[in-house]
Amino acid sequence: MKIHGSHRLPVGRERAYALLQDPEILAACMPGCEALVKVDEDLYEMKMKMALAAISGQFAGKVRIGDRNPVESFRLIVEGTGKIGFMKGEGLLRLREEGAETEVAYEGDVHVGGTIASVGQRLLDTTSKMLIKRFFGRLGERAQ
Amino acid sequence: MASTVTKTEVLFGKKMKRKEDPRLITGTATYVDDIQMPGMHHAVILRSPYAAARIKGIDARGALELPGVAAVFTGADVKDVGPVPCGASLPGLRVPHHHVLAQDRTYFVGHPVAVVVATDRYIARDAVDRIEVDWEPLEAVAEPEKALEAGAPAVHPQWPDNKAFDYHQEHGEVDKVFAEADVVVKQRITSQRLIPCAMETRGVVAEWKSGEKSLTIYTSTQIPHLMRSLVAGMLGIPENRLRAVAPEVGGGFGSKLNVYAEEALMGFVAMKTGKPVKWIESRRENMLATTHGRGHVDYYEIAAKKDGTIVGIKLKLIQDVGSYHQLLTPAIPTLSVLMMPGVYRCQNIRADIVGVFTNCVPTDAYRGAGRPEAMHGIERMVDILAAEMKMDPAELRLKNFIQPEEFPYATATGLTYDSGDYAKPLKKALGIAGYAALREEQRAARSAGRLMGIGLSTYGEICAIGPSPATPAGGWESATVRIEPSGKVTVHTGCSPHGQGEETTFAQIAADELGVDFDDIIVLHGDTAIVQYGIGTFGSRGTAIGGTAMYFAIQELKAKIKRFGAMMLDCDDVTFSGGRCVCDKTGKSVSIQEIAAASYRAMKLPPKTEPGLVATYFWEPPNFTFPFGAHVVVTEVDKETGDIEVKRYVAVDDCGKIINPLVVAGQIHGGVAQGLGQALYEEAVYDDSGQLMTGEFMDYCVPKSTMMPWIEDSNTETATPVNPLGVKGVGEAGTIGCSPAVVNSVVDALSPLGVRHIDMPMNREKIWKLVQGGAA
Amino acid sequence: MIAQNFEYETPSTLEEALELLADGAKALAGGMSLIPLMKLRLAVPERVVDLRRVPGLNSIRVAEGQLHIGAMVTHYELESTPLVRRSSPLLAAAAASIGDVQVRNLGTLGGSIAHADPAADYPAALQALEAVIRIAGKGGERAVSAAEFFVDTFTTALEPGELVVEVSVPVEAAGTGVRYEKCEQLASGFALVGVAARVAKKGGKVSMARVGVTGLAGSSYRAKNVEALLEGTTGSAQDVTRAAAAVAEGKEANSDIHASADYRAHLARVYTARALRAALGTAG
């Protein structure tokens, strides 16, 4: 599934870029993220507990940052596997200064498998959008 | 002599309620899941979440630690169990070794990886979550045309081109007629992957009796005898020590015309654990791991003369095989080729099939199996040709039909059509629909800006499959008819009905032939310990072949009855009719019940006659049968939303002689529902990585009763000379006739917008985009 | 399709139920969403609190111009109870369009809205009705508007441990025209889009218009822009079309295998126009 969109952060581009690569910030802002442990340069192991209304599931996965082009763009790869399935999201994030704020545009692909793929397809799009929105919402709060 | 009443009512042709239904609709039938045994274990299968992955390791310790778990088996445990069989053979066919559990690699989402056996289903299911598999996901390919592209991921690494087989068939002077043709039309036509969705999912109970060294497998199958022969081979046990039972089977539609890994696996588990074991497939597993149907991409070309005479047909057929060959996978598209000329007199054909491996569950038979694809193709092409030539599609068909006096007709594909009068159902259907008036109404609708369509199909199909030389496992059928000492009649049929109503129609035939009450006849089937070897129910064969076998067994019994009658009446010339033997000279008679009692008591026997009244007959048919029919469909498209309304559905089917009009109508209704499903709603959607996106009824849309149009069904009756009953078969007719008629109707509705073809399913958005002028 | 083990509680008072919920248990109303999720193991609650024996959640009553409906009232009761059909025909129509008979016999108003499926039917009606949702928690009760209640996909204003206890909608004034128009996703019965409309006319002009939308975006919403465009007009066919054209503005439409975002937005416009036309047709 292709995803794309943009969100605004109430900080300048340098600060936004730094925030988006700070594992502590990422851990605090990624919905369901319980722990993010650095295992290598640009590679983190992640524990995630997703809870969406009645739906819940635990995932273990990885977060990777690549193609760094400081303050302009970078690539974020998030993978998770759990009993209810697995997901892999890969996206290019582009940062654009908008006055005192920064617009973060993302574009990428989300792949899901297992139970969540075969019974949840009608909700994948709306759910991923919501999770991304939540992420940027929290990031925005943190940024201030 | 007690009774002198002669039974005269003829039941052949009579509308009768089915014997099967009271138990089915009151919940008193016994399905696999109703079977309970003391000490029975329950099995749950761990399936691959990846379409392609390497299994680097499996750690089942966590599962085994759970109290109540008896065993966990993985690929290594079953590597010596024989492969899941492919019964079809084609030259150069590539057959991957299909283990009952994945070995070091999985090939589709749903591929069985391990089985947990526990004291109850809940524990077994919990334990599945405790098995740790070290997966290495691999690149997958889910779409057959993509799989054929250079550089596509190899489904089976040993065959990087992903080709499962090639098949070529040709007749006549194809190149010449195409070169000389006045008109050639071409079209790519798909017949999408469908999920059969039998109401009862698969299920297996296996019981090993160690003292007797015998295994019993209860399974929801269409072919208990073939299943027994093949699974006995897989497990390495003598065939006569394996009993197969198909109890009540809640629909199959071809998806249970198979031998599955789970059937052998449960046998293996029962033998290893020494306890009976039950596995019941969940709906999700059913959609993921039971065979799918269709999966064609067809490139058609059709050549015609100026006057509309069809002179040549070319077909390049790409069959999505899936990851493995199941029992008949490669044979299904060859059926499409056999039927590619349809009901038309065309002697120049060329077909090339390429079977393609994909990382999806295998395709195999699904209601119609190869013929819906063929009829959809030819019936779409005839409409496209009619549009190109600005001819009325009904007229173009009438012009090209094989004529009644040409039967038996040798087709370009090597078949001999038995009998037919193709104009008859078409004219009847057009009459019922009021074709001329509908075209008037359409003109008015169009000038008012409405999108109204009239579509028709005139299909032919190949049924009563089939003569043994043309069938992978023998094409005959068997019956034993036993008149009990009381005169009650027990029929054992080798075909294994599972919803077709043969307990009823066979009883109608037997009641007429023997002159006994309908209620005094029972038809048993599906248990290899009770019933002599048989083939099964598929390919619209049950009544035409199994019914005929019973008919001939009865004829043998009738001869014997007459010998007893002659002896008892002390008369040389007796007639048997209406359940009585009558002495032609004296008019004295004895009833069949009296004869039955005397035959078993055996105080005195006619010359060269054994006691008892039992006969077994194995009937080998001389040919297939070829039913046909015409469907007319009126639709209207909502311009704003793309919604399609089916306003009229007229079905005139000719399935030969009709035994029970109610059963025939039921088959047509059910068949049309599945045809409409394909035309409008159903599609197994895999994403690029081989994940099934339609893994539940939340996303896979089978038509509900409220979505069905009123079906104006009727028949014509053209007897077949192939069997003495004159019956052809009707199980698949509705499906085969339906989808092209519906698509032709919607294309007709959109034709003022320049639309020439629409691929199925014709969902709203696709239609809306066409109305908007975009590409579908 | 086999759920994980769980504890099952059947409290007989609301206090007891709230106590259990505060302790992390999951509320079970009609079970039409929760049970399938549990069978798929997408939901694995350790403890389930069945609300069926909690008194006071089943009532349907009218007081002070409001129709008050207990959270455990089923869809079937809503579609068939004369008091509801009279007092809020829009809510009855939304209830009648849910799933199938079996689902309507068991599914409840409270359960459905607490689950907040982005394609459920009630939210459209409750947005158009400006419903008030009464919520109980261990700390007491509070009431929120439908607009506040539906936050996002599967996300409501409910805090952990809280429960929907009642939904209140206005008793429809004579002369108000209402309509729920739904484009059904044919497999699931959920709405690709569903539009609830309420309109009233005074002196030949549209004096009130309320439009609630479900299925289009991550959450249901009230299409205030459509309402504003329609109010004050005569409600002609053109007025309706022009107003309805605005229904998806500013919304990110959902996309799935059944409908792309563009098509969903188009359907929203078509169904908004249909709902408004029908509602205007019955408005006095």
Side-chain angles (χ1 to χ4, degrees), chain A residues 32-64:
Chain A
C33 185
E34 290 187 326
L36 204 58
V37 182
K38 186 166 182 164
V39 288
D40 202 347
E41 187 63 29
D42 293 341
L43 183 66
Y44 303 89
E45 265 179 11
M46 174 180 61
K47 268 195 174 158
M48 225 175 171
K49 191 173 179 182
M50 285 300 310
L52 252 185
I55 302 166
S56 64
Q58 291 184 338
F59 294 89
K62 289 181 195 129
V63 176
R64 207 165 356 164

Side-chain angles (χ1 to χ4, degrees), chain B residues 48-113:
Chain B
S48 175
Y50 296 98
R54 198 164 284 126
I55 300 170
K56 293 196 287 187
I58 301 180
D59 182 353
R61 281 172 301 183
L64 287 163
E65 278 166 11
L66 199 64
V69 172
V72 178
F73 299 102
T74 64
D77 300 306
V78 298
K79 66 177 190 308
D80 295 330
V81 174
V84 179
C86 170
S89 57
L90 290 174
L93 181 69
R94 289 167 170 176
V95 183
H97 194 96
H98 186 175
H99 288 278
V100 296
L101 288 173
Q103 298 293 302
D104 54 354
R105 207 177 149 120
T106 61
Y107 295 89
F108 64 99
V109 174
H111 197 155
V113 171

